[in-house]
Amino acid sequence: MATKEVTVESEDTGVEVRIIGDPVGKGLFATRDFKSGEVIFEERPLVSCQFLWNAAYGYLACDFCMRPLETAEENACRLTQNPQLTLPYPECCDTKKDAVVECPYCDASYCSRDCRESAWNQYHETLCLRSFMPDPSHPLVMLQEAWKQMHYPPETACIMLLARIIATVRQAADKEGATALFMQFCHRTVNEEEEIAHKLLGAEFHDQLEALRVMMEKGLGAPEVQHWLTPEGFRSLVALVGTNGQGIGTSPLSRWVRNCDALEISAAEREKLDQIVDDMYVQLEKEAGGFLNNEASGLYPLQSSCNHSCDPNAMPTFPYNNFHLVMTAVKDISAGDEICVSYLDECNLSRSRHSRITILRENYLFTCRCTKCEEQTGDPDVTSEEEMDEDEEEEDE
C-alpha cells in the first residue's frame, strides 16, 4: 500500500503510526529491528470495561484494571463446581485479597486503593450509582440490563465501555483534548456502521440502538458529549468500539499454573503436580468449557493501529494479568516493516483462505490481502468438510 503521510510517535518508541492506503487507513511500522520474542511496545488502554455477563456469572476482576480478585483456588472451585477442591503451592497465587477495596458508594471492587482512585478520577465519579441498592429504574441500571438482553455470550463488546468513554470526557479538565483521544480511532461510513451494529445486536438493531441511546442520554447527557448522543453520533460510537475494541483476558488460575511451572521441585513432586493440573483442566472443560477468564475489552491507540495479517509478525499479550498490553514480536521484524497481528484466533487462522476472508469480511468489513492470502489466491473457494457442515447447519436454521 502506498504511504501518503507519516505520523511519528512523540517518543522514540521504535514504532510509528502511518496514514496509508486508499481509502485512508492507519498502520503501525517498526523504526528499528525487533527479534522474535522481543517486546515491541507496552501500553495501557484509554478505557476498558469487563463484559457484563462475564461479571454477572461471578468472574471477579478489578473494576479498573481487570486484575483477578479471586484466588486461584477460589477460581478453580467455582469453575469446576467443586467446593472441596484444594490446590497445592498457594504461594504461587498472585491475588492479594488483603489489598481489595470497594467503592464506598456502590458495589464496584478494586484490586488496590490506587485503582479505586484512578477509576474515580477518570470516570467512576460520574457513573457511580451512589447506593448499595441501586434503583432498578435508574437509566444506567436499565442500560446494563437492556444490553445483557440484547447481547448474549459469547460477548464481544460492552455498552458500559461507551459509558466510560462519555464519562471520561465529562470528567476531563480538557474536554476537547479527551474527546480527541477517542476520535483518533478509525471511523466508518454510515453503511459500515450499520453493519457493525447489526453484527453486535442482530436484526432489530435500529430499535435496539435507539433504546440504548435514549437510556445513555438520560443517564449521561451533557453538552460536551451531545455529539455522541444523537442517533448518528451514537451509532458511530458503537461502531468505533465494535471495530477497535481489544479483548482482555485475566485469570488467577492460569497465573498459578504458570508460577507452578517455574517451581524447582523434585521429579516426583512435578509428576504429582502435573497430574493435579491435568485432572483440573479436564473438569474445567466439562463444567466451564472455554469460559475460563475474566473477559473485557479496551481501547488501545497503538494496538488499534496494527492491521491484520493471516501470517502475523506480532501478538498482543497480557503478562501482568491485568489490562496492561504487551505487544510481542513472533517473528524477526526489520526497520520499515509493518507490524501486523491476527484478528482471528488460532483455530480460525488455520482454516482455508476462503473461510478466513469470509470471517474477516463479516466481522471487520474488509477483504484480506495479506501475503498469505495472496499466495493462496489460486486455492479453490471451498471450505473444509467441517466448515461445509457448519454452513449447512446455518442454512437449515
Side-chain angles (χ1 to χ4, degrees):
M1 291 182 287
T3 300
K4 294 187 172 183
E5 178 183 345
V6 175
T7 303
V8 181
E9 298 303 305
S10 58
E11 300 177 359
D12 184 15
T13 60
V15 297
E16 64 184 13
V17 178
R18 298 179 185 175
I19 306 302
I20 59 175
D22 189 17
V24 173
K26 291 193 297 185
L28 191 69
F29 290 78
T31 58
R32 67 173 181 85
D33 296 345
F34 293 94
K35 293 294 185 182
S36 179
E38 187 177 352
V39 171
I40 303 171
F41 65 82
E42 302 186 20
E43 65 176 336
R44 288 171 42 152
L46 296 181
V47 67
S48 64
C49 186
Q50 185 176 8
F51 293 146
L52 291 178
W53 278 115
N54 187 259
Y57 283 135
Y59 292 80
L60 303 180
C62 176
D63 200 50
F64 182 69
C65 79
M66 283 298 294
R67 187 179 299 280
L69 301 183
E70 288 180 301
T71 64
E73 186 167 283
E74 290 171 337
N75 188 235
C77 288
R78 178 173 60 81
L79 292 176
T80 62
Q81 297 187 29
N82 178 9
Q84 307 305 318
L85 180 65
T86 59
L87 297 181
Y89 307 106
E91 68 274 14
C92 289
C93 176
D94 289 345
T95 304
K96 304 293 189 293
K97 298 280 288 188
D98 57 351
V100 174
V101 295
E102 293 185 346
C103 172
Y105 308 111
C106 71
D107 61 358
S109 297
Y110 302 93
C111 69
S112 66
R113 294 181 182 275
D114 286 345
C115 277
R116 183 174 66 182
E117 182 178 359
S118 295
W120 183 266
N121 291 338
Q122 182 180 338
Y123 54 76
H124 190 66
E125 182 179 6
T126 297
L127 297 179
C128 182
L129 297 176
R130 308 296 175 92
S131 171
F132 292 103
M133 296 291 289
D135 180 358
S137 65
H138 190 289
L140 293 182
V141 175
M142 294 178 65
L143 179 70
Q144 294 177 69
E145 291 306 312
W147 177 261
K148 285 161 64 177
Q149 297 309 309
M150 296 175 187
H151 193 71
Y152 291 96
E155 296 167 275
T156 56
C158 180
I159 193 66
M160 293 309 291
L161 187 60
L162 279 68
R164 289 185 179 185
I165 291 172
I166 290 171
T168 295
V169 172
R170 284 190 53 179
Q171 287 188 213
D174 178 6
K175 300 186 188 325
E176 290 186 4
T179 300
L181 286 176
F182 295 110
M183 297 300 286
Q184 68 182 294
F185 294 94
C186 69
H187 290 264
R188 302 285 183 161
T189 65
V190 170
N191 288 340
E192 287 178 325
E193 289 173 352
E194 291 194 348
E195 281 191 59
I196 294 164
H198 179 277
K199 186 70 180 177
L200 289 175
L201 298 171
E204 303 299 322
F205 73 93
H206 279 297
D207 292 341
Q208 292 176 337
L209 266 183
E210 180 60 14
L212 293 171
R213 184 194 70 80
V214 169
M215 285 181 275
M216 188 78 79
E217 186 171 32
K218 286 181 178 178
L220 294 174
E224 59 267 29
V225 293
Q226 191 56 40
H227 60 287
W228 280 329
L229 295 173
T230 65
E232 297 79 12
F234 190 68
R235 183 192 61 228
S236 295
L237 194 59
V238 169
L240 182 153
V241 169
T243 53
N244 291 282
Q246 163 66 44
I248 303 168
T250 64
S251 167
L253 199 53
S254 65
R255 287 291 288 189
W256 174 81
V257 171
R258 181 182 300 180
N259 290 339
C260 283
D261 287 342
L263 288 173
E264 295 184 3
I265 54 180
S266 69
E269 290 173 315
R270 175 62 63 190
E271 183 177 358
K272 183 179 178 180
L273 176 59
D274 288 346
Q275 189 60 56
I276 290 172
V277 172
D278 289 345
D279 291 344
M280 179 182 66
Y281 273 108
V282 168
Q283 195 64 24
L284 287 170
E285 177 64 28
K286 178 182 176 182
E287 300 294 341
F291 297 96
L292 301 182
N293 294 340
N294 305 323
E295 296 180 347
S297 63
L299 293 177
Y300 297 83
L302 284 178
Q303 173 275 330
S304 71
S305 299
C306 294
N307 289 313
H308 166 82
S309 171
C310 295
D311 186 23
N313 57 15
M315 179 175 66
T317 62
F318 295 89
Y320 303 111
N321 212 25
N322 60 11
F323 63 15
H324 193 111
L325 182 147
V326 176
M327 188 66 71
T328 305
V330 295
K331 295 181 176 181
D332 288 349
I333 299 173
S334 299
D337 288 351
E338 184 173 7
I339 297 168
C340 292
V341 299
S342 172
Y343 295 174
L344 303 175
D345 60 29
E346 188 174 348
C347 179
N348 284 323
L349 199 58
S350 65
R351 297 172 79 170
S352 67
R353 173 182 180 272
H354 174 74
S355 295
R356 297 196 309 270
I357 286 177
T358 299
I359 295 168
L360 290 166
R361 180 59 205 169
E362 288 178 352
N363 290 278
Y364 298 98
L365 311 184
F366 72 90
T367 299
C368 185
R369 294 186 174 85
C370 69
T371 54
K372 182 176 179 178
C373 285
E374 291 298 300
E375 289 170 357
Q376 296 176 346
T377 300
D379 290 0
D381 286 342
V382 295
T383 58
S384 68
E385 187 174 316
E386 178 184 353
E387 292 166 341
M388 286 191 289
D389 289 342
E390 292 174 356
D391 292 340
E392 289 172 2
E393 288 177 4
E394 291 175 2
E395 291 173 2
D396 291 338
E397 291 179 354

